[in-house]
Amino acid sequence: NNGAASNSSVPRPDPLAVMQTTKGPITIRLFRQMAPQTVANFIDLSQRGFFNGLSWHRVVPGFVVQSGCPKGDGSGGFVDPQSGQPRKVNLELHQQLSHNAPGVVAMARFGNDMNSASSQFYITLAPQPRLDNKYSVFGGVVSGMNFVQQITPQDKIISVTLQGI
């Protein structure tokens, strides 16, 4: 025994979210070590089935595709059914995470409030360095980027399955 199994300081591998969309499956690596609160929020919403059936309400060619709005128009977020309170997630930055490529997954937010992310997220279609340090990057597409590039506002998220949580 080399002690690895009992050493709690060894980071667990990052979980994967497999997002079934009407275009095809998109697999996202979730950066648990570098964005723990944001990843925990995304995992919770996925387990609740929150994203199932939601549209890609914002599609800007060469920029981003965005989903996660329960109202379908970009104005809504997650409201906790127990408390009736909207959930907000604080801005979470990490020096190793940036909008450096297509397939970067990050939280959208409301207006200029840096700590207003809730349930909406976007996937970049190209590097977007001007978004760095303004939005919480929490994942990256590891397969299915061809489907991301094809998404239109008529497309939907069918389901999100988590692996390795």
Side-chain angles (χ1 to χ4, degrees), residues 62-64 98-104 124-132:
F63 182 51
V64 299
S98 65
H99 296 77
N100 61 341
V104 172
T124 60
L125 298 172
Q128 301 297 337
R130 66 189 178 89
L131 301 179
D132 287 351

Side-chain angles (χ1 to χ4, degrees), residues 86-136:
R87 178 186 295 169
K88 293 194 173 176
V89 183
N90 288 340
L91 180 64
E92 205 168 23
L93 300 175
H94 192 285
Q95 60 188 21
Q96 289 178 275
L97 297 179
S98 65
H99 296 77
N100 61 341
V104 172
V105 184
M107 294 302 290
R109 56 180 165 75
F110 294 97
N112 293 320
D113 181 351
M114 295 294 221
N115 298 315
S116 64
S118 176
S119 59
Q120 293 187 44
F121 65 93
Y122 59 85
I123 304 174
T124 60
L125 298 172
Q128 301 297 337
R130 66 189 178 89
L131 301 179
D132 287 351
N133 302 314
K134 297 176 184 164
Y135 299 88
S136 302

Side-chain angles (χ1 to χ4, degrees), residues 29-98:
R29 177 181 165 202
L30 302 175
F31 303 136
R32 180 175 19 219
Q33 313 307 130
M34 295 184 274
Q37 287 141 349
T38 309
V39 167
N41 175 61
F42 186 82
I43 287 173
D44 176 61
L45 294 176
S46 297
Q47 289 174 324
R48 290 172 182 262
F50 178 83
F51 297 115
N52 300 0
L54 295 187
S55 66
W56 295 88
H57 64 271
R58 184 175 183 217
V59 175
V60 183
F63 182 51
V64 299
V65 296
Q66 187 168 318
S67 187
C69 176
K71 297 181 181 175
D73 61 5
S75 69
F78 176 73
V79 176
D80 187 293
Q82 274 77 42
S83 67
Q85 295 301 306
R87 178 186 295 169
K88 293 194 173 176
V89 183
N90 288 340
L91 180 64
E92 205 168 23
L93 300 175
H94 192 285
Q95 60 188 21
Q96 289 178 275
L97 297 179
S98 65

